[in-house]
Amino acid sequence: MNRRNTNPALRTALAGVLALSLAGAGVSPALAQPAPTAVEAAGARDYAIDPTHAQVRMTWNHMGLSNPGATFETVQGVIRIDPANPAASRVSVRIPVSSVDSGVPALDAMFQNADFFDAAAHPEITFESREVRFTGLGHVFEVDGDLTVRGVTRPVTLRARLNGAGIHPMTGAPVVGFSAETLIKRSEFGLDVALPMVSDDINVQITLEASPAQETRP
């Protein structure tokens, strides 16, 4: 992770995330695109996750009959993008347990108690990346990291994609958008209530936007 990556293709890929003009990256035509060389020259940069355009959704199976879910509506953190050394890019995320919303108030209240997320003792879920690996044409990658739930930390791998990037038409600031997914076993984090009627496997889907730290979004 600390090794400098001199692969031109990977440098171009990360420059595209910052420069917002990488071919095939799904750039929206509504977003203006600056010259890649100008952004690449800026070096590594921290992008703050926009909590008004970020969600983490988890789904599970209930008795083999349905696949309900819940969404964490508050997602905070920083994505560091380093165009000169892609492997040094990193992700740090914090999710307040109190932001969970299943659409069922009684279930949301249960999620806060000691049998579930134990929000009083562990108010946040966190993710800290350890390695970023590109697996596609510059916009598909994997993020290995440590997920902490209820004070228990386990390794997970996020399968991620750059959805789009550009200059935000309202703020004039660079903006990037990502999606990611993974599958975890809740029992590994001490969440074993109602097993096996409620599945051990939890599917996690993430969508977010981020802008350079210190920039504001409408």
Side-chain angles (χ1 to χ4, degrees):
M1 179 132 176
N2 294 324
R3 215 171 35 222
R4 188 169 182 79
N5 192 320
T6 58
N7 185 315
L10 292 184
R11 284 203 308 273
T12 300
L14 260 293
V17 174
L18 285 173
L20 322 169
S21 60
L22 179 66
V27 176
S28 165
L31 302 179
Q33 301 173 30
T37 53
V39 181
E40 187 170 15
R45 194 171 194 180
D46 288 344
Y47 282 66
I49 294 171
D50 178 357
T52 66
H53 296 87
Q55 287 185 337
V56 174
R57 180 166 177 77
M58 58 180 182
T59 58
W60 56 88
N61 182 266
H62 180 253
M63 298 177 60
L65 299 173
S66 62
N67 295 289
T71 300
F72 292 95
E73 298 289 353
T74 301
V75 183
Q76 303 164 326
V78 174
I79 303 169
R80 165 151 284 225
I81 301 174
D82 187 340
N85 184 15
S89 299
R90 63 179 184 267
V91 181
S92 177
V93 176
R94 304 185 318 280
I95 304 170
V97 171
S98 60
S99 73
V100 69
D101 182 4
S102 67
V104 182
L107 180 57
D108 295 342
M110 290 176 63
F111 280 148
Q112 307 302 313
N113 70 34
D115 290 332
F116 285 86
F117 290 110
D118 195 5
H122 308 287
E124 291 186 330
I125 296 169
T126 64
F127 176 81
E128 298 289 340
S129 68
R130 288 181 281 102
E131 182 179 5
V132 177
R133 300 186 308 278
F134 279 83
T135 58
L137 298 176
H139 58 284
V140 178
F141 52 99
E142 293 182 341
V143 181
D144 294 335
D146 296 316
L147 177 67
T148 301
V149 181
R150 286 175 51 100
V152 178
T153 301
R154 295 285 184 265
V156 302
T157 297
L158 303 179
R159 298 175 299 280
R161 171 181 289 271
L162 170 65
N163 295 325
I167 296 299
H168 195 280
M170 297 177 68
T171 67
V175 60
V176 293
F178 295 95
S179 59
E181 61 181 17
T182 191
L183 186 144
I184 63 173
K185 290 191 177 295
R186 62 187 178 97
S187 61
E188 294 182 352
F189 297 90
L191 292 162
D192 54 7
V193 176
L195 286 174
M197 290 183 295
V198 177
S199 65
D200 197 12
D201 288 348
I202 303 295
N203 291 291
V204 181
Q205 297 90 34
I206 303 159
T207 185
L208 62 86
E209 297 176 21
S211 292
Q214 318 257 327
E215 301 283 359
T216 59
R217 295 284 307 281

